[in-house]
């Protein structure tokens, strides 16, 4: 199995007690999970100008990359430049902008933002040790909230564990509780490096961050996201599910990663991040989320600066097993987001789904892309949505592209 399964593998992105944590039970879906927002409509077919150029580029990239469907939205200063979809969701069913798809690591950006809100409100400090809320976790006295959110804790990534990969490939419909995935992160082993002194991406950090946020606020994570992110940013078609269900209408996904081209729409995503933040969105909400998170709309000025650089720049020296990545001013991980040439980015990828949200604060430009794969698409590439987002950025902001 390849690493295409991951909710976010940062290496690819940079190339661009009776604690609830240990309980295996699942909660009922929140009522918000089934709600329908206003339609996310396609733009009128453009005859010229920037909108036509965007559509032409999307159509060309879909052909060149051999994608099944591409759904995209571009906005500038909050105004629609072009919104639309090309290709089929299923045979005989055209993709539409209002269709929902999985956007795993976007929920990670939401969790990091909530943590910074709590810091703004003086409920916590970034450098508080996680032992205050997660005393049962190994190394909890060594690791801070900051180091979970900027993934500098030194914990291993369970997604890169061969045993986890084998189990996931064999049982794509399995439900995973936090204790199940964390077992493959081997938290009790020696840390990869001293916390805060290096950088390596680990999904385990965000499973733990979600639990910490719940214990800090005494609020379930899906409710926290609703209160602190969805409502303020007007994300009406964004929701968590504790099951593989996706609210209709659904953009269907297909993958060849198990050797046979097959539908993967309802493979279980419970392993991807903290329960309560396993989200789906449509393309309009993905673009709104990019602009809202990327502009720091719900944060203080200080909190926003920390979002963009919590202290990761300059980290990233080699470490076993080779997962440490150089963090530069141009390309680095912030507080649960990527910063690439001034763009604030998340690029989720999950079993046939791939998406990108990218926002450039300097120009107030938001790019959102979601793609699905045909049998001939090159799925050795982590996220082909990145290619389209990069090409769109060159078109829209040629002097500051997403590269």
């Amino acid at each position: 199995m390849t690493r295409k399964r991951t909710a976010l593998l940062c290496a690819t992105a940079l190339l661009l007690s009776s604690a609830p944590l240990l309980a295996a039970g699942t909660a009922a879906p929140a009522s918000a999970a089934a709600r329908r927002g206003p339609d996310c409509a396609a733009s009128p077919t453009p005859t010229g100008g920037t909108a036509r150029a965007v559509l032409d580029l999307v159509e060309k990239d879909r052909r060149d990359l051999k994608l099944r469907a591409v759904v995209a939205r571009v906005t500038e200063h909050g105004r629609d430049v072009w919104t639309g979809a090309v290709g089929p969701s299923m045979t005989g069913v055209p993709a539409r902008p209002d269709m929902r798809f999985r956007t795993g690591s976007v929920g990670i950006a939401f969790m990091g933002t909530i943590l910074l809100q709590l810091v703004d409100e003086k409920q916590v400090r970034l450098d508080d040790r996680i032992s205050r809320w997660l005393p049962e976790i190994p190394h909890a006295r060594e690791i801070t909230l900051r180091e979970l959110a900027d993934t500098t804790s030194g914990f291993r990534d369970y997604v890169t564990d061969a045993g986890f990969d084998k189990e996931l490939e064999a049982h794509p419909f399995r439900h995973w509780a936090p204790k199940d995935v964390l077992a493959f992160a081997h938290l009790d082993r020696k840390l990869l490096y001293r916390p805060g002194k290096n950088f390596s991406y680990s999904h385990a950090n965000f499973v733990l961050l979600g639990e910490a946020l719940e214990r800090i606020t005494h609020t379930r994570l899906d409710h926290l996201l609703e209160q602190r992110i969805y409502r303020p940013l007007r994300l009406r078609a964004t929701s968590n599910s504790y099951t593989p269900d996706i609210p209709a209408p659904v953009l269907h996904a297909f993958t060849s990663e198990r050797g046979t081209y097959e539908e993967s729409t309802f493979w279980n995503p419970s392993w991807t991040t903290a329960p309560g933040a396993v989200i789906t969105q449509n393309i309009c909400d993905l673009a709104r989320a990019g602009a809202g998170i990327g502009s720091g709309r719900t944060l203080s000025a200080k909190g926003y600066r920390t979002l963009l650089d919590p202290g990761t720049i300059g980290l990233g020296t080699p470490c076993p097993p080779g997962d440490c990545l150089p963090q530069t001013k141009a390309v680095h991980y912030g507080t649960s987001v990527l910063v690439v040439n001034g763009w604030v980015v998340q690029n989720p990828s999950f079993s046939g789904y791939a998406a990108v949200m990218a926002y450039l604060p300097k120009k107030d430009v938001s790019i959102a892309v979601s793609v699905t794969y045909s049998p001939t698409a090159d799925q050795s590439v982590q996220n082909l949505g990145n290619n389209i987002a990069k090409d769109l950025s060159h078109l829209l902001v040629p002097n500051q592209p997403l590269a």
Side-chain angles (χ1 to χ4, degrees), residues 192-212:
L192 292 175
Y193 46 82
R194 184 180 170 191
K197 301 301 181 182
N198 212 331
F199 174 89
S200 57
Y201 192 84
S202 172
H203 290 74
N205 289 313
F206 302 111
V207 174
L208 295 171
L209 178 60
E211 179 65 24

Side-chain angles (χ1 to χ4, degrees), residues 97 165 288:
D165 275 359
R288 273 189 214 100

Side-chain angles (χ1 to χ4, degrees), residues 147-215:
E147 290 153 0
L148 291 183
D150 66 13
T151 192
T152 62
S153 68
F155 282 138
R156 290 166 174 78
D157 189 3
Y158 58 81
V159 166
T160 63
D161 183 87
F164 175 79
D165 275 359
K166 183 178 180 180
E167 176 64 18
L168 193 61
E169 183 177 83
H171 304 287
F173 295 100
R174 172 182 170 174
H175 177 83
W176 295 79
K179 69 177 181 63
D180 300 327
V181 293
L182 291 176
F184 287 98
H186 307 290
L187 302 184
D188 57 340
R189 291 186 183 175
K190 182 179 178 181
L191 296 170
L192 292 175
Y193 46 82
R194 184 180 170 191
K197 301 301 181 182
N198 212 331
F199 174 89
S200 57
Y201 192 84
S202 172
H203 290 74
N205 289 313
F206 302 111
V207 174
L208 295 171
L209 178 60
E211 179 65 24
L213 292 174
E214 290 193 339
R215 296 189 189 184

Side-chain angles (χ1 to χ4, degrees), residues 251-264:
L251 180 68
H252 285 247
F254 301 82
T255 183
S256 302
E257 64 190 54
R258 297 202 308 166
T260 301
Y261 187 67
E262 58 188 328
E263 181 165 5
S264 54

Side-chain angles (χ1 to χ4, degrees), residues 69 101-102 149 152 154 167 178 180 185 194-195 217 247 256 280 288 306 316 318 323-324 331 345 368 378 390:
F101 46 88
R102 301 201 188 280
T152 62
E167 176 64 18
D180 300 327
R194 184 180 170 191
T217 62
S256 302
T280 57
R288 273 189 214 100
T306 305
D323 292 333
C324 297
V331 182
V345 182
D378 183 3
K390 288 178 183 178

Side-chain angles (χ1 to χ4, degrees), residues 7 32-40 71-73 83 89 95-111 225-226 229-241 244-253 265 269 273 276-294 345-350 353-358 366-372:
R35 75 186 188 282
R36 291 286 301 275
D39 287 342
C40 176
V71 188
R73 177 173 172 84
T83 302
S89 171
R96 305 197 314 259
D98 63 338
M99 288 179 168
R100 300 197 193 189
F101 46 88
R102 301 201 188 280
T103 55
S105 60
V106 172
I108 289 172
F110 294 166
M111 287 192 285
L225 294 175
E226 175 78 25
I229 302 294
Y230 306 163
R231 291 177 191 168
L233 299 185
R234 297 183 296 111
L235 306 182
R236 301 186 183 94
T238 299
S239 56
N240 165 75
S241 179
D245 181 48
I246 302 175
V250 178
L251 180 68
H252 285 247
T265 307
T273 195
V278 182
I279 64 172
T280 57
Q281 300 182 286
N282 66 23
I283 202 68
C284 293
D285 268 17
L286 185 59
R288 273 189 214 100
I293 298 298
V345 182
Q346 272 289 5
N347 59 349
S349 178
F350 171 85
Y353 285 111
V356 181
M357 72 173 197
S366 179
I367 296 172
V369 178
S370 179
V371 307
T372 59

